[in-house]
Amino acid sequence: MGTGGEGLRVLFEAIDGGVRRAEAAGVAREWTSRLQGAVTAVGEVTRALGAVAAGGDTEAMLRHSTDYLEMLSVVVVGWQWLVMAAAAKEGLARPEVSAPDAAFYQGELAAAQYWVATELPRVGVLAALCRGNDDSYARAQPDWF
């Protein structure tokens, strides 16, 4: 039996907490906005797929389940990179930060920037696949190959 999206709601609350921490630490607003946009996309796709299932077409809802899970995992990893970026900014703000620690924090920020710039945009493509519900591979028959 489903929980009405309770698990996703709890996850989104945790992500929101990470976004608030990142913003307070001085992480680029562009980064937090991109993650928030990705979270919004997941929510919209989830509601759309739920409506498909409620309409009785469970197969269509599940057709792009791998894309859905990949989309969600990109968001979760993006959230964790944002939290690490917040920790790096907090570490760099300490007056006693050592040169090796500062270098480590700069590396964390660069890695987080990479994820935001190159991986988070994939959420849009994956969301479109889930909403578009292409069924070409589901219709394929073994004897066609």
Side-chain angles (χ1 to χ4, degrees), residues 20 30 61 81 91 144:
R20 286 193 312 272
E30 177 185 353
M61 179 197 72
W81 272 116
W144 292 356

mmCIF file of all heavy atoms in Angstrom, residues 20 30 61 81 91 144:
data_model
loop_
_atom_site.group_PDB
_atom_site.id
_atom_site.type_symbol
_atom_site.label_atom_id
_atom_site.label_comp_id
_atom_site.label_asym_id
_atom_site.label_seq_id
_atom_site.Cartn_x
_atom_site.Cartn_y
_atom_site.Cartn_z
ATOM 1 N N ARG A 20 18.948 25.483 2.225
ATOM 2 C CA ARG A 20 19.028 26.613 3.178
ATOM 3 C C ARG A 20 20.421 26.710 3.789
ATOM 4 O O ARG A 20 20.974 27.803 3.926
ATOM 5 C CB ARG A 20 17.959 26.469 4.260
ATOM 6 C CG ARG A 20 16.560 26.799 3.757
ATOM 7 C CD ARG A 20 15.558 26.976 4.884
ATOM 8 N NE ARG A 20 15.590 25.910 5.880
ATOM 9 C CZ ARG A 20 14.891 24.784 5.810
ATOM 10 N NH1 ARG A 20 14.096 24.567 4.788
ATOM 11 N NH2 ARG A 20 14.970 23.876 6.756
ATOM 12 N N GLU A 30 22.934 30.327 -7.925
ATOM 13 C CA GLU A 30 22.674 29.587 -9.167
ATOM 14 C C GLU A 30 22.651 28.079 -8.900
ATOM 15 O O GLU A 30 21.830 27.362 -9.461
ATOM 16 C CB GLU A 30 23.748 29.915 -10.199
ATOM 17 C CG GLU A 30 23.602 29.156 -11.485
ATOM 18 C CD GLU A 30 24.745 29.408 -12.462
ATOM 19 O OE1 GLU A 30 25.586 30.276 -12.206
ATOM 20 O OE2 GLU A 30 24.787 28.700 -13.472
ATOM 21 N N MET A 61 2.860 3.728 -16.514
ATOM 22 C CA MET A 61 3.510 4.423 -15.400
ATOM 23 C C MET A 61 4.911 3.871 -15.170
ATOM 24 O O MET A 61 5.848 4.617 -14.904
ATOM 25 C CB MET A 61 2.692 4.276 -14.123
ATOM 26 C CG MET A 61 3.346 4.965 -12.932
ATOM 27 S SD MET A 61 2.708 4.429 -11.335
ATOM 28 C CE MET A 61 3.379 2.797 -11.187
ATOM 29 N N TRP A 81 26.124 16.944 -2.960
ATOM 30 C CA TRP A 81 27.207 17.846 -3.368
ATOM 31 C C TRP A 81 26.955 19.250 -2.843
ATOM 32 O O TRP A 81 27.886 19.960 -2.463
ATOM 33 C CB TRP A 81 27.398 17.842 -4.882
ATOM 34 C CG TRP A 81 28.332 16.768 -5.323
ATOM 35 C CD1 TRP A 81 28.033 15.698 -6.120
ATOM 36 C CD2 TRP A 81 29.713 16.627 -4.980
ATOM 37 N NE1 TRP A 81 29.146 14.909 -6.284
ATOM 38 C CE2 TRP A 81 30.195 15.464 -5.598
ATOM 39 C CE3 TRP A 81 30.598 17.379 -4.200
ATOM 40 C CZ2 TRP A 81 31.509 15.026 -5.469
ATOM 41 C CZ3 TRP A 81 31.904 16.947 -4.068
ATOM 42 C CH2 TRP A 81 32.347 15.787 -4.691
ATOM 43 N N GLY A 91 34.069 25.721 6.084
ATOM 44 C CA GLY A 91 35.463 25.470 6.432
ATOM 45 C C GLY A 91 36.370 26.594 5.988
ATOM 46 O O GLY A 91 37.281 27.006 6.727
ATOM 47 N N TRP A 144 11.847 -9.883 -33.786
ATOM 48 C CA TRP A 144 12.187 -8.769 -34.666
ATOM 49 C C TRP A 144 13.703 -8.633 -34.825
ATOM 50 O O TRP A 144 14.163 -7.936 -35.703
ATOM 51 C CB TRP A 144 11.639 -7.457 -34.135
ATOM 52 C CG TRP A 144 10.142 -7.344 -34.154
ATOM 53 C CD1 TRP A 144 9.238 -8.243 -34.647
ATOM 54 C CD2 TRP A 144 9.381 -6.265 -33.623
ATOM 55 N NE1 TRP A 144 7.971 -7.792 -34.461
ATOM 56 C CE2 TRP A 144 8.014 -6.575 -33.828
ATOM 57 C CE3 TRP A 144 9.699 -5.079 -32.989
ATOM 58 C CZ2 TRP A 144 7.004 -5.713 -33.443
ATOM 59 C CZ3 TRP A 144 8.686 -4.228 -32.598
ATOM 60 C CH2 TRP A 144 7.355 -4.557 -32.823
#
